[in-house]
Amino acid sequence: MKKYIKIILSAACLFSAAGCDKGFRELNVNPNNTTSLDPVFLFSNAEVLTYAALMETEPTVVQQFIDPFGGVTSAFNFNVLNQTYTVMRWNNAYPNTIKLLEHILPDLKGNASRSNLYNETRIWRAYNYMMLVDTYGDVPYSQAGQAYLNSAFLPKYDKQQDIYADLVNELTTATAALDPAKDLVKGDVFFGGDIPQWKRLGYSLLLRIGMRYSKLDPGKAKTIVQAAVTGGVMQSNADNCYLKYNNTYPNLVTQQIQQLTNTYYLAEPFITQLKSTGDPRLKYISAMYTDPGKALSLAPDTASANQFGLPIGYDSGTLPSAPGFRGVSGSGFKYSQVNYSVFGKITAPQFFVTYAQTQLLLAEAAFRGYIAGTASTYYNNGVKAAMDQFTSYDATAVISSDAQNAYLNNPAIAYSDANALKLINTQYWITSFGNGAETWANFRRSGYPALAPNTYPGRQIKGNFVRRYTYPQTEAAINADNYRAAVASIGADDLDTPVFWDK
């Protein structure tokens, strides 16, 4: 009898255990945990994390901005290599924007209900890879961002020519595939998912990438540019692609220069260009402060006659020996700084692709015979749009039509075929101030403005200007085989090696 009782009790325990296990897994899953993530959140984050440039990097190479204090942040003002700055774009892109964008694509490929998000991702991915190629040359592309997806922990570097060719295809097909009748990407921080604007962005980027070929292969440049114009580029400042900021989410570029205002100045060539031509943008870009170290709490002096750029080729120690040295002012020097009430505001926007830039590229394309249209009309439209753009910095930064026309009628500014390339690309240099990546790229492509080389003693570059950034030292140590193959491909990992379209 005892034997049967034991059997019955054992069976009861088994049934009890089985009953207790029912729903056990569901009971121990946190209902608040995320089990899947909408790719739109990755896309929004990739837009916000896209890096244009700090002021001490490319804007210093193209002589718009200077930090003369070598002990603080020595780099491009002294024509020397400083990995802290040359790796910034790489270290921001690959762990952030590139990784996010690459993770979206396989998740949405073939998903008809999310096709617009898929194609907007391809367009913004092209923008980011274009900046990487323009900065470094050969870079990881086909295997980039694939560590989690495909265990590609040490990605190979693709040839820059091949990457550009694929970016042309990506921009062409992705932009054409956008469809207003399909999904609206509400998480898009640039345009709120507006498809016509994304189409105009895609074709404006295609125009930009086409013009990169103008020195290397004019025939290819013409073909790409014509395709972009046929597709339809930006039509007004309403199409500008940029990030808006506020006091909670500040502009990191202006935030950085606000931290040590007495060390940062505008460069003499830039101020001279604006001042000598009566450029009405000068007062919104430049200002003098009685004490540069207290600039944020002082009223800016924006009078044109009082603006003087800091000379090229000097540091804080040798500056007193510069011709016409203007002296010391408080904790800094008596030279123009960024106007912290407009251009240098913590809430200043970050522009990536603009209508003004697009019009100026069209002006050059028309001059070169790539497209129909009048170069002078595109040129004038571009300059006026660039001036109107300043209301995005501050609502009071209005430049009247009379002031715009007076500027364009200045013989030094008025369009002429004889000086077309100089005029157009000097305006592009001014218009792109704040987007160092694009300013530097177009300077290398066009050769304008015709700046005198920075002859600071002890410079490490052999040529006149920095042509590319070096790869991160971590790549040479960790991804050594692929790094060596890339260096063999481009020629040398130094500041003098040009990217492929710059040859």
Side-chain angles (χ1 to χ4, degrees):
M1 184 68 179
K2 289 182 179 180
K3 179 178 179 180
Y4 292 118
I5 292 174
K6 287 181 179 180
I7 292 173
I8 293 170
L9 288 174
S10 296
C13 287
L14 286 171
F15 282 118
S16 175
C20 288
D21 184 61
K22 185 176 181 181
F24 181 79
R25 182 172 298 176
E26 291 78 5
L27 183 65
N28 284 274
V29 171
N30 185 346
N32 296 317
N33 273 354
T34 301
T35 56
S36 63
L37 183 65
D38 191 326
V40 74
F41 294 115
L42 303 181
F43 181 67
S44 302
N45 208 21
E47 291 178 304
V48 171
L49 291 174
T50 298
Y51 171 84
L54 295 179
M55 298 302 289
E56 292 179 277
T57 51
E58 297 97 335
T60 295
V61 175
V62 298
Q63 299 182 6
Q64 293 174 323
F65 190 85
I66 289 183
D67 173 4
F69 293 88
V72 179
T73 50
S74 62
F76 299 111
N77 185 40
F78 311 108
N79 290 309
V80 298
L81 172 63
N82 185 327
Q83 282 271 338
T84 299
Y85 295 99
T86 56
V87 302
M88 282 184 171
R89 179 160 292 113
W90 186 289
N91 288 346
N92 181 77
Y94 283 111
N96 296 303
T97 52
I98 294 300
K99 182 177 72 174
L100 293 170
L101 295 168
E102 293 290 358
H103 279 228
I104 295 171
L105 295 179
D107 196 32
L108 294 183
K109 188 174 183 178
N111 185 342
S113 67
R114 308 298 295 276
S115 63
N116 283 333
L117 176 57
Y118 175 71
N119 288 302
E120 288 171 19
T121 299
R122 293 169 69 195
I123 292 170
W124 201 239
R125 173 180 175 270
Y127 177 87
N128 278 272
Y129 276 116
M130 185 177 177
M131 283 201 300
L132 285 167
V133 170
D134 292 347
T135 303
Y136 301 102
D138 291 10
V139 294
Y141 180 67
S142 59
Q143 295 181 351
Q146 303 294 311
Y148 175 78
L149 298 172
N150 295 308
S151 300
F153 300 107
L154 301 174
K156 70 174 184 177
Y157 291 50
D158 294 86
K159 290 186 179 298
Q160 51 197 304
Q161 299 93 323
D162 297 340
I163 298 173
Y164 249 59
D166 195 57
L167 295 183
V168 170
N169 179 66
E170 282 289 284
L171 285 171
T172 301
T173 56
T175 307
L178 291 170
D179 187 346
K182 295 184 179 179
D183 56 304
L184 174 66
V185 184
K186 294 183 179 179
D188 161 36
V189 300
F190 294 148
F191 304 120
D194 186 281
I195 296 304
Q197 287 188 302
W198 267 98
K199 277 185 172 288
R200 292 192 283 270
L201 171 61
Y203 287 122
S204 296
L205 273 175
L206 188 63
L207 168 67
R208 179 181 289 186
I209 205 170
M211 290 302 292
R212 288 284 201 271
Y213 285 97
S214 63
K215 184 164 62 172
L216 175 71
D217 188 339
K220 179 177 287 188
K222 182 177 181 178
T223 298
I224 298 170
V225 167
Q226 288 179 343
V229 172
T230 299
V233 297
M234 291 179 169
Q235 298 298 304
S236 72
N237 277 345
D239 292 330
N240 287 343
C241 177
Y242 67 104
L243 285 174
K244 300 176 183 178
Y245 297 98
N246 55 39
N247 290 320
T248 303
Y249 299 99
N251 182 326
L252 296 180
V253 177
T254 54
Q255 183 182 54
Q256 186 251 349
I257 62 174
Q258 285 193 11
Q259 292 173 355
L260 289 169
T261 56
N262 65 311
T263 69
Y264 299 126
Y265 300 85
L266 294 173
E268 186 175 50
F270 190 50
I271 293 299
T272 298
Q273 169 66 33
L274 299 174
K275 182 177 177 180
S276 65
T277 58
D279 196 317
R281 290 168 287 191
L282 176 62
K283 64 182 178 181
Y284 299 130
I285 293 173
S286 175
M288 291 285 284
Y289 295 92
T290 53
D291 185 343
K294 299 177 181 178
L296 298 181
S297 61
L298 298 174
D301 176 359
T302 61
S304 177
N306 296 337
Q307 305 307 311
F308 297 91
L310 196 142
I312 298 292
Y314 298 91
D315 60 27
S316 57
T318 61
L319 186 59
S321 67
F325 174 62
R326 300 195 57 77
V328 174
S329 179
S331 59
F333 297 108
K334 292 181 179 179
Y335 290 98
S336 295
Q337 298 177 273
V338 167
N339 183 339
Y340 289 104
S341 297
V342 184
F343 183 87
K345 288 171 65 172
I346 204 76
T347 57
Q350 174 62 66
F351 289 94
F352 298 111
V353 185
T354 68
Y355 170 64
Q357 291 172 326
T358 301
Q359 287 292 297
L360 291 170
L361 290 177
L362 290 174
E364 182 176 342
F367 171 76
R368 290 181 179 275
Y370 296 171
I371 59 172
T374 306
S376 60
T377 300
Y378 289 128
Y379 173 79
N380 292 340
N381 288 345
V383 174
K384 290 180 179 181
M387 292 185 178
D388 289 338
Q389 195 173 299
F390 274 84
T391 56
S392 296
Y393 292 90
D394 191 279
T396 65
V398 177
I399 299 175
S400 69
S401 295
D402 288 344
Q404 293 178 11
N405 291 330
Y407 177 73
L408 286 167
N409 288 327
N410 182 335
I413 298 300
Y415 178 85
S416 71
D417 283 340
N419 294 309
L421 294 179
K422 174 185 176 181
L423 290 166
I424 293 167
N425 288 292
T426 298
Q427 287 299 322
Y428 202 94
W429 178 63
I430 299 169
T431 297
S432 301
F433 181 54
N435 183 347
E438 186 58 20
T439 311
W440 181 42
N442 197 69
F443 168 71
R444 285 175 289 161
R445 179 192 70 84
S446 71
Y448 291 106
L451 302 171
N454 179 349
T455 57
Y456 185 85
R459 62 203 221 129
Q460 294 179 349
I461 62 172
K462 298 182 284 293
N464 291 330
F465 295 92
V466 174
R467 310 309 292 192
R468 68 175 284 275
Y469 286 2
T470 58
Y471 295 124
Q473 293 175 337
T474 52
E475 284 293 293
I478 298 172
N479 195 10
D481 290 342
N482 290 317
Y483 165 81
R484 284 192 292 267
V487 173
S489 171
I490 65 173
D493 186 18
D494 59 31
L495 300 174
D496 289 283
T497 300
V499 298
F500 83 101
W501 51 255
D502 188 26
K503 295 180 180 178

